[in-house]
């Protein structure tokens, strides 16, 4: 028997107790597809851990089979697969759907935007989750926050970046609005490459540079073998937010207690993934430097300033005329400003003291 306090899905409330009891009903079988290589640390394991947790909490009444990228459908077709009911769930990143849903990008990562803690606060207390679900509602998809990588690295390069001119004409795997900022300063973003394709794309010269996540994943993908320089910071993804996608009809057909279990499990994995990545990054970075002799370099301050300046123009241009984009952008930027103002008294002040 399993007893758990119910986490609030969006707003604080009194927590009832959920109890999963034995049942002779046949198990409900779901399929969950991801955009990640099977069992990749962090990203690949989040869905596996979610499925295990749901099975345990439901006492086997809801069984979820997880499939990696390419096993059932291509990595970047996950949203469509969930929307059309081919599968019941997916795990991916919202900026992959930017052509279909421009506003989705705000629920992944915005260049120079909110970090993981701030994103979580916006989603669950600032109305962000309501906007996210409103954005996906026309597609029959219910989104849930699906974990964070934390602030990412700036990417792998085969040449040094000394000025903004070095980004002009550079072909780089960089999805979402980060890619649009790169385009604004003269770069060429490739946003349709899945993680398992990056090694060969760098090796064969299809692209000149690539970002994936950070040391925890980048070491596993072997990117240090095909690129010389590892740049920081990951200005393009300060939070690295992921998403669970659930087919609305499949979710509504679940008994109420299983709906609650799915909701609780997403909240648990949302936090666990961030903790996993934080520890994985700090364990993997020394190995990249000391064992594989990776050259780690900061982007020049002038380059970061130019990229940050380009962000405003991108946010004004992208999604122009798209009402959902404008609505979500207003909420996102409002909360981004609020957090910055308060963090100047806390985290920001500590950075200044450290200097």
């Amino acid at each position: 028997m399993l007893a758990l306090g119910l986490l609030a899905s969006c707003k604080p409330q009194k927590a009832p107790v959920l109890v999963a009891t034995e049942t002779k009903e046949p198990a409900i079988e779901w399929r969950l597809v991801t955009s990640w290589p099977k069992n990749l640390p962090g990203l690949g394991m989040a869905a596996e851990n979610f499925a295990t947790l749901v099975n345990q909490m439901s006492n086997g009444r809801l069984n979820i089979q997880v499939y990696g990228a390419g096993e059932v459908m291509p990595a970047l077709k996950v949203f469509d697969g969930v929307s059309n009911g081919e599968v019941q769930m997916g795990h991916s990143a919202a900026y992959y759907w930017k052509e279909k849903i421009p506003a989705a990008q705000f629920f992944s990562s915005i260049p120079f935007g909110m970090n993981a803690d701030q994103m979580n606060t916006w989603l669950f207390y600032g109305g962000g989750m309501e906007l996210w679900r409103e954005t996906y509602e026309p597609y029959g998809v219910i989104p849930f926050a699906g974990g964070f990588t934390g602030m990412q690295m700036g990417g792998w390069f085969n040449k040094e970046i000394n000025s903004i001119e070095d980004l002009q004409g550079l072909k780089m795997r960089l999805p979402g609005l980060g890619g649009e900022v790169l385009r604004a300063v003269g770069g060429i973003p490739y946003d349709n490459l899945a993680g398992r394709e990056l090694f060969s794309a760098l090796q064969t010269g299809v692209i000149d540079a690539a970002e994936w996540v950070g040391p925890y994943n980048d070491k596993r993908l072997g990117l240090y073998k095909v690129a010389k320089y590892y740049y920081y910071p990951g200005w393009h993804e300060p939070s690295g937010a992921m998403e669970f996608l659930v087919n609305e009809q499949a979710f509504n057909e679940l008994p109420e207690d299983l709906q609650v279990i799915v909701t609780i499990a997403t909240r648990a994995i949302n936090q666990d993934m961030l903790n996993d990545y934080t520890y994985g990054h700090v364990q993997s970075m020394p190995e990249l430097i000391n064992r594989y002799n990776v050259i780690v370099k900061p982007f020049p301050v002038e380059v970061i300033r130019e990229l940050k300046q380009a962000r405003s123009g991108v946010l004004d241009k992208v999604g122009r005329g798209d009402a959902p984009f404008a609505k979500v952008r207003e909420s996102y930027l409002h909360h981004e400003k609020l957090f910055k103002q308060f963090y100047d008294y806390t985290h920001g002040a500590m950075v200044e003291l450290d200097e």
Side-chain angles (χ1 to χ4, degrees):
M1 182 177 293
L2 176 66
L4 290 173
L6 175 61
L7 295 175
S9 62
C10 290
K11 300 294 183 183
Q13 54 186 294
K14 185 177 180 180
V17 175
L18 172 70
V19 180
T21 58
E22 292 186 6
T23 176
K24 293 183 179 179
E25 296 175 6
I28 298 171
E29 302 288 338
W30 275 15
R31 295 196 298 171
L32 190 164
V33 294
T34 81
S35 295
W36 330 117
K38 185 75 171 177
N39 296 326
L40 181 72
L43 289 172
M45 291 307 300
E48 301 282 357
N49 294 336
F50 168 81
T52 298
L53 186 57
V54 167
N55 183 274
Q56 292 173 340
M57 294 169 67
S58 69
N59 199 27
R61 291 169 57 215
L62 179 54
N63 183 47
I64 301 175
Q65 184 66 40
V66 178
Y67 299 89
E71 291 187 310
V72 172
M73 60 188 61
L76 304 186
K77 292 295 183 180
V78 168
F79 187 94
D80 291 340
V82 175
S83 178
N84 64 31
E86 184 177 352
V87 294
Q88 291 79 22
M89 282 196 72
H91 189 252
S92 192
Y95 52 35
Y96 289 143
W97 332 127
K98 70 176 187 177
E99 299 301 327
K100 181 193 301 287
I101 314 172
Q105 296 171 96
F106 287 100
F107 305 109
S108 54
S109 241
I110 300 299
F112 302 100
M114 291 190 260
N115 63 26
D117 177 51
Q118 295 164 345
M119 276 286 292
N120 260 332
T121 305
W122 173 57
L123 290 175
F124 294 110
Y125 288 89
M129 184 59 70
E130 289 86 347
L131 288 170
W132 199 353
R133 291 182 175 172
E134 180 183 313
T135 301
Y136 283 11
E137 185 177 11
Y139 304 91
V141 174
I142 303 173
F144 294 83
F148 294 87
T149 66
M151 188 165 192
Q152 300 190 0
M153 290 290 287
W156 297 87
F157 295 74
N158 274 312
K159 71 172 187 177
E160 291 189 72
I161 304 300
N162 296 311
S163 68
I164 201 70
E165 285 74 26
D166 291 325
L167 295 178
Q168 295 171 4
L170 185 85
K171 296 177 294 183
M172 182 176 182
R173 188 271 178 187
L174 190 63
L177 289 167
E180 295 307 313
V181 170
L182 177 67
R183 191 192 309 277
V185 298
I188 305 171
Y190 280 61
D191 57 8
N192 59 350
L193 291 175
R196 60 192 181 131
E197 301 172 307
L198 297 186
F199 185 97
S200 60
L202 276 170
Q203 187 178 46
T204 58
V206 171
I207 55 178
D208 305 311
E211 64 77 41
W212 179 239
V213 175
Y216 195 28
N217 286 157
D218 296 359
K219 184 185 71 172
R220 174 73 172 267
L221 295 180
L223 299 181
Y224 60 88
K225 300 177 183 178
V226 287
K228 186 175 181 181
Y229 302 105
Y230 200 21
Y231 271 88
Y232 68 93
W235 55 271
H236 59 291
E237 288 201 48
S239 65
M242 303 299 144
E243 64 181 0
F244 282 109
L245 304 168
V246 182
N247 178 271
E248 183 178 15
Q249 180 177 340
F251 186 79
N252 289 338
E253 290 174 353
L254 289 178
E256 185 176 357
D257 67 320
L258 292 185
Q259 293 180 358
V260 173
I261 284 173
V262 169
T263 300
I264 289 174
T266 62
R267 288 295 300 267
I269 298 304
N270 188 51
Q271 182 61 48
D272 180 72
M273 183 175 156
L274 177 60
N275 300 148
D276 182 26
Y277 263 108
T278 300
Y279 194 72
H281 288 327
V282 300
Q283 293 291 313
S284 299
M285 191 66 158
E287 187 175 2
L288 285 174
I289 295 171
N290 299 322
R291 180 177 179 182
Y292 299 116
N293 301 313
V294 169
I295 301 172
V296 180
K297 296 179 69 69
F299 287 115
V301 173
E302 293 76 13
V303 170
I304 292 295
R305 285 176 178 161
E306 292 266 6
L307 291 166
K308 189 173 184 179
Q309 185 176 3
R311 187 191 92 145
S312 296
V314 167
L315 290 179
D316 287 339
K317 179 180 179 181
V318 173
R320 182 173 294 168
D322 184 87
F325 185 94
K327 184 176 183 179
V328 178
R329 177 180 59 192
E330 180 180 8
S331 177
Y332 184 98
L333 294 180
H334 170 70
H335 286 86
E336 180 188 77
K337 183 178 180 180
L338 287 180
F339 291 131
K340 183 182 183 305
Q341 289 172 341
F342 181 71
Y343 272 51
D344 284 344
Y345 298 111
T346 55
H347 295 70
M350 291 299 292
V351 170
E352 292 177 4
L353 291 173
D354 289 342
E355 293 176 350

